[in-house]
Amino acid sequence: KVNQLIVNKEISTRHNPSDLINDFQLGGNTKFAITVSKIGNPIIYNITDAQGHELHNGDPKLDINLAHHSQILKCKLLSNGDLATCDKNGLIKIHELTLGQLKYTLKGHSDWVWGLDEVAGEALVSVSNDCTMKFWTPKDQVCYKTVMSPQNKSIRCLKVLSETRLAFASERIWIYNTL
């Protein structure tokens, strides 16, 4: 038996109907949404107006021009308010969210970066087709640890379970203790 999904809210976007959304983030106590698609740039949408009333259609607040970024796969709203994006060229870019300006680029992966997450508001973790999981200190722009995946497999998904445990996956799910 299939249960019917009941939708509480729909946010219309400016993405082309043939351009599916790769990733999204909800931020600011769900006052805005950020969408990333494979063709377009990240777009930030207001979900509520200045008085906190819900908007029925997302009002584009900022269309971040990331012409220097090639096929963005994922985005992550960081605890300091910056936006991290990753792409098929192995790059992670950190953007100042209110203006959409590029702050810096983290380089170290040699293939598509499929996942990003933040650990304890300090470290950024990324996973890639290059079979590695990398730990970064974004403020220093340094990769301080690289972990090879078991059986030398591409890593496609990442979830932070706690400050010391991560789950990552390709054809299997692995749990990693960071200590």
Side-chain angles (χ1 to χ4, degrees):
K1 180 180 177 181
V2 176
N3 291 329
Q4 183 177 355
L5 178 67
I6 299 172
V7 176
N8 294 325
K9 180 167 182 62
E10 177 180 321
I11 302 169
S12 298
T13 69
R14 288 192 346 216
H15 292 286
N16 182 318
S18 65
D19 182 22
L20 299 177
I21 294 172
N22 281 350
D23 198 12
F24 70 93
Q25 293 279 296
L26 299 176
N29 294 325
T30 318
K31 293 182 180 173
F32 62 89
I34 304 167
T35 59
V36 175
S37 68
K38 73 177 188 178
I39 297 173
N41 290 325
I43 301 174
I44 301 171
Y45 296 92
N46 285 321
I47 298 175
T48 60
D49 62 18
Q51 290 76 36
H53 301 101
E54 286 192 17
L55 300 171
H56 293 288
N57 290 314
D59 175 31
K61 174 180 175 182
L62 181 62
D63 189 343
I64 302 174
N65 183 3
L66 301 179
H68 57 275
H69 222 335
S70 177
Q71 196 166 355
I72 298 168
L73 301 172
K74 297 283 182 182
C75 66
K76 177 68 181 170
L77 183 61
L78 303 178
S79 58
N80 68 357
D82 288 343
L83 177 67
T85 56
C86 58
D87 69 15
K88 69 177 188 174
N89 293 325
L91 300 176
I92 300 165
K93 301 204 178 217
I94 309 299
H95 311 271
E96 195 282 328
L97 190 57
T98 56
L99 300 174
Q101 294 177 335
L102 177 66
K103 289 175 78 173
Y104 50 87
T105 301
L106 302 175
K107 298 177 183 178
H109 284 292
S110 60
D111 207 337
W112 297 50
V113 178
W114 283 103
L116 287 171
D117 213 335
E118 193 173 29
V119 179
E122 298 174 5
L124 191 62
V125 183
S126 58
V127 294
S128 171
N129 266 7
D130 66 9
C131 306
T132 64
M133 175 170 41
K134 293 190 178 283
F135 294 78
W136 308 85
T137 47
K139 64 181 177 192
D140 300 326
Q141 303 174 35
V142 172
C143 173
Y144 66 88
K145 182 194 268 186
T146 300
V147 177
M148 290 298 297
S149 72
Q151 303 169 347
N152 215 24
K153 299 286 184 184
S154 171
I155 306 173
R156 301 290 294 264
C157 306
L158 171 70
K159 296 290 178 200
V160 172
L161 304 175
S162 70
E163 287 186 24
T164 59
R165 293 182 67 193
L166 306 170
F168 59 97
S170 58
E171 80 276 355
R172 294 183 181 152
I173 300 171
W174 294 284
I175 308 296
Y176 178 73
N177 291 317
T178 60
L179 296 178

